[in-house]
Amino acid sequence: MSFLKSQLKFSLILFCSLTYCILGQGISNELDSIHHLTGSDYEKIHLYNKVLNNWENKKKYTQFGYDAHQLGKWIHKEKRWEEAIKIAQRAYLAREKAIPLNKELLKRSYYNYAIYNYRYKNYSKSIEYFEKLLKVDDSIFLRGRAYEVIGDCYKVLGDFYRSVEYQKKALENHVKKDIDKGYLVIGNMNLAVTYGKMRSIESSKLAVKHLKKAEKLFHEQNFLPEIHLYTIKNNLGNFYCEGFETSYTDKCLSIYQEALVILTKLDYPQKLSKTHYNLGLTYIEIDSTKATYHLNEAQKYIKYDPSLIPRIDFGKGLKELHYKNYHKAQLYFSKSLANYFNKGEIDIYWLPQKEDLKKITDPSKFLELLNRKLKTWIALAEKENNTEYYKEAIKTAYTCDELINLRLEKDYSDKTKLLWRSLASQINLIVLEACLKIDKQDDAFYFMEKSKALLLIQDLAKNNDNIPLSIFDKNLELKRKIASLKTQIRLTNQKKSDSLEKLVLSTEADLKNYQDSLAPIYPKYFSNYSIPKTITLSSIQQNADEAILEYTMGIRVAGAKSEAYGILITKDYKELFKIENVDELKKSIYRLRDLLDKPFRNEEDIITYTNLAYTIYTALFPKHIQNKIKDKKTTIVPDNILHYLPFEALITDKKNKTYLLEKAQIHYTHSISFDKKNSKINRNSELDFLGIAPINFNNNLNKLPKSKEELSFANQYYKGDVLLQDDATKKNFEKKANKYKILHLATHANASDSLNPWIAFKTKKLTELEIGVIKNQADLVLLSACSSSLGEVRQGEGVLSLARGFFKSGAKSVIPSLWSTNDKATATITSDFYKNLSEGQTKSAALRTAKLNYLKSNKDAEASPHYWASLVLIGDSGTLLPQANNLWMFLLGFGIAVVILLCLFLYRRKKYQASIK
């Protein structure tokens, strides 16, 4: 009966609505009347939809927007998420069509649609509509909240660097109402936590800075709940205990105790487990008894926070590991592992599979657990001399590798991916000890390759995909705009950079939306972030005169000694070896680089250099492998600061002062897997040579008078275009770069500018960010520009140099310089190089021959490696003949083929005639 009454009442309301149009502000009488009927709003949804449909049919979009917006809020309160999202969508669509357009109301509807998706864990959709809100150019209304929730979405998704960018903008854009609600306090706290996940010295310091700011604001706004102060103290304690270069154990313990006092005063047991756990970890290296006490206390309060169960077992494992109780440690780590997946049975040999790893919500903490388990297996193997434990260590490393692969397959920012690559490299370095001890060369090679340039290979894979030119160009245009804006930010003042940062975030959102819209059509290009396959050791094809030397070098953990390994690969010989005294080796390399920055001045300089270069040579080339590379074409795969080292300039014989250049043909690559992927890219540039030399610069840089001569020599062998003086502009280079096989830039550069590495043109500079988005099809890029092979070393990826930027945008090989070059010597070497190359020598042989010729023609100071060792070949080492030579060889080959066919024809004819007779 009540249902019939409701229907009659609704019919009356609907009838009135058909005869009277409500144009006033707020929700309609019809909607309000239904709301006051008995039952939940969700149960009356069919009645509400009739009202909404009526406004939509009559195109009364203003009223439609009011009603749908309010209805979404009611349904959302009842936690009917999916229905609330549908209605909120109808609300914003109506307000987009409303005339006149009310931007404030439209922003409210975008906000509700985005926040409902956020609460329903549709984070990508939430980000998309918060971005739409930010694009509504009106007041700053809701702007701070939008930035904050976007930041939180990215944090949940694991993209910490993007998260930080938005969280910082939120702090700058909160209105007074938000500030009065404590959003500045909460925002600084959340930002600090995100910084902590970046695991660097700089981010740890920034985290502490923002926590202190949050504490100051908390005391200024004394109306906030004291539980916020606990959170600040607890996080501050974390950074004083575990932060990079922010670790102060006494401060840490003191602050944790303050946090404990706050919880006791508030009678707030929900957080006691976490605080006791933190205290337990801190005491592990100080007082075993206190560590045990606090970990047990954490266990007591675990019912209030069951998510800490695996972490407490992990803490107990850390304690046992520290005191070298390896079996107990392994048991606790395995128990922690089992608790992550609710496995009742504890098996120390069990490891999660890929489907299990996909369910992990905090992968960085889980990776830390696997890392400790891996170390414990190695420690057990060394203690008990049990090779089976080394095998378990290798299995654990593969599980770590799978977990990191899953992270890198997500649409993360480049900086966040670099963070995961750094974490991967630490794991890959640790496991090499196990590979060495049981001679697992195939596994060792896999982990060494996985520590090199994986993100660069991902970029190459996309360069090789075929998509329509118009789509590619628009995608590239947005990337160039972002690169240009980021360059401006680095060069401008703070006030102006704030507005530029907002524009960067907006343009990045446009790029993402554009790519997302095309993902269903071109999934391989726009939505595929799959990890490139690593070449296997057994699949490497080599000639007898070829060798590969690959190195892995790094820091196992913060504060521990450096370690390094190498693997030699020839056609009939393979060996994995460990490099000793790595910290001393690093010091020697830095000293050698200092010596290479200037020519020899006297005999003492020569002796000092010879001794140091020989010491480095014997460290990197153990005695029993030295003859294995003699007279071979040797590919060096460097790592860490080895990227800064010209191997050709190492001394192999102190007595005769013999350079490695004289014993072997050397070239470099990012990884063997990189070479394989790069060689498959289809390049079809039409012209041979583009040379650029500004000579005189408009930005206070020194003249380079010999650079014109350098390009003229090259142009004798490879025909093409030479842009000098006023024609040597950034704009001309960007326009022409994609048309040539060889790009030769004879100019100034500064890769040591950590904020903004650049290459100079006549009036402007091309930055490292911009290089990566200038498409090229070059078989060779020659950068006779200062230090173009230097840059920031990122563990797991290599040097983020100017040279890398050219590879990213399509180059097959690059010859950069390792230090400031002498333009006269460079002109001599490069001209000889092009002559040798044009005659059919490979790139590596042509460069080696040019350097050897220079050495023979110069003596004393002029023969210093400073003059000839700076230019190095990275990437493909094959031949590169001028097109004229190619045509000549084609005609010669064609002519020979015609002669052979004619002879064959005459022979058969003669034979046939003889058979008739």
Side-chain angles (χ1 to χ4, degrees):
M1 181 66 76
S2 61
F3 176 75
L4 288 173
K5 285 182 180 179
S6 297
Q7 288 286 24
L8 285 170
K9 192 171 183 179
F10 171 74
S11 299
L12 180 62
I13 293 167
L14 185 59
F15 174 78
C16 292
S17 70
L18 293 172
T19 58
Y20 181 76
C21 181
I22 297 174
L23 297 174
Q25 299 295 300
I27 65 170
S28 67
N29 290 333
E30 293 89 336
L31 198 80
D32 189 54
S33 298
I34 296 170
H35 182 57
H36 285 93
L37 296 176
T38 56
S40 72
D41 287 302
Y42 182 74
E43 290 170 344
K44 296 176 284 189
I45 198 71
H46 61 290
L47 301 178
Y48 286 124
N49 279 330
K50 288 183 180 180
V51 174
L52 298 182
N53 293 341
N54 175 49
W55 299 132
E56 187 171 27
N57 292 335
K58 296 185 74 174
K59 297 185 179 180
K60 302 298 183 181
Y61 295 116
T62 299
Q63 192 60 57
F64 183 10
Y66 275 116
D67 283 4
H69 183 83
Q70 183 59 52
L71 178 57
K73 289 165 72 174
W74 289 337
I75 299 298
H76 177 258
K77 279 184 180 179
E78 295 178 0
K79 298 185 179 180
R80 298 287 184 170
W81 310 113
E82 291 184 65
E83 194 64 38
I85 289 169
K86 289 178 187 175
I87 296 167
Q89 184 179 39
R90 296 189 73 182
Y92 82 70
L93 287 171
R95 284 179 166 172
E96 285 178 340
K97 297 175 183 176
I99 300 174
L101 176 67
N102 188 316
K103 292 182 179 180
E104 293 292 321
L105 295 179
L106 180 58
K107 286 170 78 171
R108 288 178 185 272
S109 287
Y110 282 152
Y111 181 89
N112 280 10
Y113 183 69
I115 204 71
Y116 298 167
N117 273 285
Y118 168 76
R119 289 168 184 163
Y120 196 56
K121 299 184 179 181
N122 292 333
Y123 298 116
S124 295
K125 185 64 69 175
S126 177
I127 291 168
E128 180 184 349
Y129 277 82
F130 275 125
E131 290 286 3
K132 285 176 80 80
L133 182 159
L134 291 168
K135 285 184 186 303
V136 179
D137 188 19
D138 196 28
S139 68
I140 64 169
F141 176 63
L142 293 176
R143 190 181 295 167
R145 290 286 291 131
Y147 280 127
E148 181 184 12
V149 185
I150 293 174
D152 199 48
C153 287
Y154 279 125
K155 181 163 66 175
V156 173
L157 292 170
D159 197 341
F160 306 130
Y161 282 89
R162 274 188 183 143
S163 176
V164 159
E165 288 174 356
Y166 281 92
Q167 286 177 307
K168 284 161 64 179
K169 296 306 291 179
L171 293 176
E172 296 166 10
N173 284 275
H174 280 311
V175 296
K176 187 177 185 304
K177 185 179 177 182
D178 292 336
I179 294 170
D180 291 342
K181 288 180 179 179
Y183 280 117
L184 283 185
V185 175
I186 296 166
N188 276 286
M189 287 162 49
N190 290 339
L191 181 54
V193 171
T194 312
Y195 270 129
K197 292 181 179 293
M198 294 179 180
R199 303 167 66 92
S200 71
I201 294 171
E202 182 184 2
S203 65
S204 291
K205 290 178 178 178
L206 287 168
V208 170
K209 173 187 169 184
H210 282 281
L211 285 171
K212 287 183 175 180
K213 188 171 183 179
E215 185 174 6
K216 182 174 181 290
L217 288 167
F218 174 85
H219 290 300
E220 290 172 357
Q221 298 174 308
N222 55 16
F223 57 86
L224 293 174
E226 201 166 357
I227 194 63
H228 287 321
L229 182 59
Y230 158 78
T231 306
I232 293 168
K233 295 287 187 185
N234 186 67
N235 285 322
L236 201 51
N238 290 344
F239 286 106
Y240 281 136
C241 281
E242 302 172 9
F244 292 81
E245 287 198 2
T246 59
S247 300
Y248 304 97
T249 305
D250 290 343
K251 271 188 179 182
C252 164
L253 290 171
S254 173
I255 290 172
Y256 280 149
Q257 290 295 347
E258 289 177 34
L260 205 55
V261 168
I262 293 170
L263 290 180
T264 306
K265 184 175 72 174
L266 293 175
D267 191 21
Y268 204 91
Q270 292 91 327
K271 302 288 185 181
L272 281 171
S273 185
K274 180 178 285 187
T275 307
H276 279 296
Y277 170 72
N278 289 337
L279 280 163
L281 290 189
T282 310
Y283 274 116
I284 285 174
E285 296 184 16
I286 303 169
D287 188 323
S288 174
T289 303
K290 287 185 178 180
T292 302
Y293 166 77
H294 283 291
L295 290 172
N296 288 338
E297 285 295 297
Q299 195 90 44
K300 277 186 191 178
Y301 295 97
I302 200 65
K303 65 180 180 181
Y304 295 107
D305 190 359
S307 66
L308 275 176
I309 292 173
R311 298 298 293 164
I312 292 171
D313 287 322
F314 172 71
K316 291 178 178 179
L318 287 180
K319 175 178 168 289
E320 299 301 338
L321 179 59
H322 178 74
Y323 293 102
K324 299 184 179 180
N325 301 320
Y326 299 130
H327 283 287
K328 282 186 177 181
Q330 199 62 277
L331 188 63
Y332 277 120
F333 292 146
S334 300
K335 190 176 178 182
S336 176
L337 205 60
N339 282 325
Y340 271 107
F341 303 99
N342 298 315
K343 286 175 62 70
E345 184 181 352
I346 309 301
D347 178 2
I348 63 170
Y349 300 103
W350 181 81
L351 288 166
Q353 300 303 302
K354 185 174 182 178
E355 291 307 309
D356 299 314
L357 296 172
K358 288 179 180 179
K359 300 171 187 174
I360 296 298
T361 56
D362 193 339
S364 57
K365 280 189 170 62
F366 193 77
L367 183 65
E368 187 182 2
L369 168 61
L370 291 173
N371 186 353
R372 301 293 181 155
K373 191 171 176 64
L374 164 60
K375 289 181 182 179
T376 307
W377 281 128
I378 292 176
L380 266 172
E382 290 172 349
K383 183 179 180 180
E384 301 183 7
N385 196 25
N386 187 331
T387 57
E388 293 302 312
Y389 293 149
Y390 285 124
K391 293 177 184 177
E392 294 301 324
I394 294 171
K395 289 179 187 176
T396 307
Y398 276 112
T399 303
C400 295
D401 183 61
E402 189 67 72
L403 176 64
I404 292 167
N405 285 349
L406 289 171
R407 296 295 101 193
L408 293 174
E409 287 175 353
K410 296 183 178 294
D411 182 19
Y412 285 160
S413 63
D414 289 343
K415 286 184 178 179
T416 297
K417 286 188 174 184
L418 284 170
L419 168 63
W420 282 103
R421 294 293 294 128
S422 175
L423 296 175
S425 72
Q426 293 171 27
I427 302 289
N428 297 341
L429 183 67
I430 293 167
V431 75
L432 289 179
E433 185 68 17
C435 296
L436 179 68
K437 288 294 173 65
I438 55 175
D439 198 27
K440 291 287 186 180
Q441 294 176 348
D442 290 340
D443 296 307
F445 180 74
Y446 173 83
F447 288 114
M448 293 174 91
E449 281 284 291
K450 281 301 287 282
S451 293
K452 312 279 193 331
L454 194 70
L455 301 183
L456 181 57
I457 300 173
Q458 275 188 320
D459 288 326
L460 293 185
K462 294 202 171 188
N463 278 344
N464 203 25
D465 288 337
N466 293 317
I467 60 172
L469 189 60
S470 60
I471 291 174
F472 181 85
D473 284 347
K474 183 172 180 182
N475 189 57
L476 202 59
E477 180 187 342
L478 288 168
K479 287 183 175 181
R480 284 176 179 166
K481 184 178 178 182
I482 292 166
S484 177
L485 288 167
K486 287 183 175 179
T487 299
Q488 290 179 57
I489 289 170
R490 291 173 177 181
L491 299 174
T492 193
N493 58 53
Q494 184 60 46
K495 187 175 181 181
K496 191 175 180 182
S497 72
D498 288 343
S499 59
L500 290 172
E501 284 171 1
K502 179 183 174 183
L503 196 52
V504 167
L505 295 179
S506 175
T507 311
E508 286 179 334
D510 288 343
L511 176 62
K512 188 175 187 310
N513 291 336
Y514 179 68
Q515 292 175 339
D516 288 347
S517 69
L518 292 166
I521 308 168
Y522 305 102
K524 190 175 179 184
Y525 190 89
F526 288 111
S527 61
N528 179 22
Y529 298 93
S530 59
I531 304 302
K533 287 186 178 179
T534 301
I535 191 171
T536 61
L537 184 59
S538 59
S539 68
I540 295 176
Q541 302 292 321
Q542 288 175 287
N543 295 322
D545 64 343
E546 295 176 333
I548 295 169
L549 255 174
E550 180 158 354
Y551 296 94
T552 294
M553 175 185 283
I555 305 292
R556 289 184 70 167
V557 291
K561 67 177 183 177
S562 302
E563 291 195 346
Y565 298 83
I567 188 168
L568 172 66
I569 306 164
T570 68
K571 185 177 177 64
D572 54 6
Y573 183 84
K574 296 173 180 64
E575 182 175 347
L576 176 67
F577 55 91
K578 189 171 185 177
I579 297 168
E580 303 298 336
N581 302 317
V582 178
D583 287 322
E584 288 301 315
L585 172 62
K586 285 184 174 182
K587 291 177 185 176
S588 296
I589 291 171
Y590 283 123
R591 286 176 59 207
L592 190 78
R593 279 306 315 267
D594 288 340
L595 294 175
L596 285 166
D597 281 341
K598 51 187 179 297
F600 299 144
R601 294 166 299 180
N602 48 48
E603 186 65 25
E604 185 180 346
D605 281 355
I606 295 174
I607 293 170
T608 301
Y609 179 89
T610 300
N611 290 334
L612 194 56
Y614 180 73
T615 299
I616 295 170
Y617 171 73
T618 55
L620 293 173
F621 296 79
K623 194 167 185 179
H624 55 282
I625 74 164
Q626 290 173 7
N627 285 331
K628 303 288 183 183
I629 66 161
K630 187 177 179 182
D631 299 323
K632 282 188 168 59
K633 301 169 186 174
T634 304
T635 303
I636 302 289
V637 187
D639 193 26
N640 203 281
I641 64 164
L642 296 181
H643 286 281
Y644 297 160
L645 184 67
F647 280 66
E648 301 98 312
L650 297 179
I651 296 292
T652 62
D653 181 343
K654 280 202 295 185
K655 183 178 178 181
N656 297 309
K657 298 182 179 60
T658 306
Y659 292 108
L660 182 57
L661 174 76
E662 300 170 86
K663 296 295 182 182
Q665 184 183 129
I666 303 288
H667 85 282
Y668 305 82
T669 188
H670 295 287
S671 75
I672 306 304
S673 303
F674 164 82
D675 265 359
K676 183 179 180 182
K677 178 64 71 173
N678 200 23
S679 66
K680 291 182 178 180
I681 293 177
N682 182 31
R683 297 174 177 86
N684 53 9
S685 42
E686 306 162 0
L687 305 169
D688 264 1
F689 181 83
L690 175 65
I692 293 184
I695 304 174
N696 300 300
F697 298 83
N698 291 0
N699 38 23
N700 299 320
L701 294 170
N702 294 332
K703 294 180 181 180
L704 294 175
K706 288 289 181 181
S707 57
K708 179 180 178 180
E709 182 182 329
E710 184 178 323
L711 297 184
S712 298
F713 279 126
N715 205 209
Q716 291 177 18
Y717 305 105
Y718 291 85
K719 302 303 179 185
D721 297 317
V722 176
L723 305 179
L724 305 173
Q725 297 282 14
D726 292 341
D727 292 327
T729 64
K730 175 180 172 181
K731 185 177 181 180
N732 280 342
F733 176 72
E734 290 174 334
K735 183 179 177 181
K736 294 175 175 287
N738 201 34
K739 300 177 182 178
Y740 298 85
K741 286 184 170 62
I742 298 174
L743 301 175
H744 185 136
L745 278 65
T747 180
H748 285 290
N750 187 357
S752 301
D753 185 338
S754 60
L755 290 177
N756 207 31
W758 51 264
I759 296 176
F761 289 83
K762 181 66 178 180
T763 58
K764 294 183 179 180
K765 294 174 180 177
L766 182 70
T767 68
E768 169 257 335
L769 288 170
E770 294 168 316
I771 291 169
V773 290
I774 296 177
K775 182 70 176 170
N776 79 76
Q777 300 185 82
D779 199 296
L780 172 67
V781 177
L782 201 156
L783 303 171
S784 58
C786 311
S787 310
S788 48
S789 189
L790 300 185
E792 182 185 2
V793 174
R794 293 303 296 259
Q795 199 67 30
E797 276 298 304
V799 178
L800 305 187
S801 64
L802 297 168
R804 179 186 169 105
F806 282 101
F807 279 117
K808 184 177 179 180
S809 60
K812 193 172 186 179
S813 58
V814 181
I815 298 179
S817 61
L818 285 167
W819 55 84
S820 298
T821 55
N822 174 278
D823 61 337
K824 180 181 176 182
T826 300
T828 301
I829 291 171
T830 56
S831 62
D832 200 8
F833 163 74
Y834 281 117
K835 175 180 178 294
N836 302 331
L837 191 66
S838 68
E839 292 172 352
Q841 290 189 30
T842 63
K843 296 169 197 169
S844 55
L847 186 58
R848 183 195 184 207
T849 303
K851 290 178 178 180
L852 288 172
N853 289 342
Y854 180 88
L855 264 175
K856 290 175 185 175
S857 304
N858 292 275
K859 295 181 180 180
D860 303 322
E862 296 298 317
S864 300
H866 168 77
Y867 290 112
W868 58 262
S870 178
L871 296 176
V872 293
L873 173 68
I874 306 173
D876 174 74
S877 63
T879 57
L880 177 54
L881 290 167
Q883 288 192 44
N885 286 20
N886 292 339
L887 179 62
W888 178 81
M889 290 185 71
F890 171 76
L891 292 173
L892 177 64
F894 181 76
I896 292 170
V898 169
V899 170
I900 291 171
L901 287 171
L902 182 61
C903 291
L904 185 63
F905 171 75
L906 293 172
Y907 170 75
R908 287 183 174 178
R909 183 178 177 184
K910 184 176 180 182
K911 191 175 181 182
Y912 173 73
Q913 289 174 344
S915 66
I916 293 175
K917 293 178 180 179

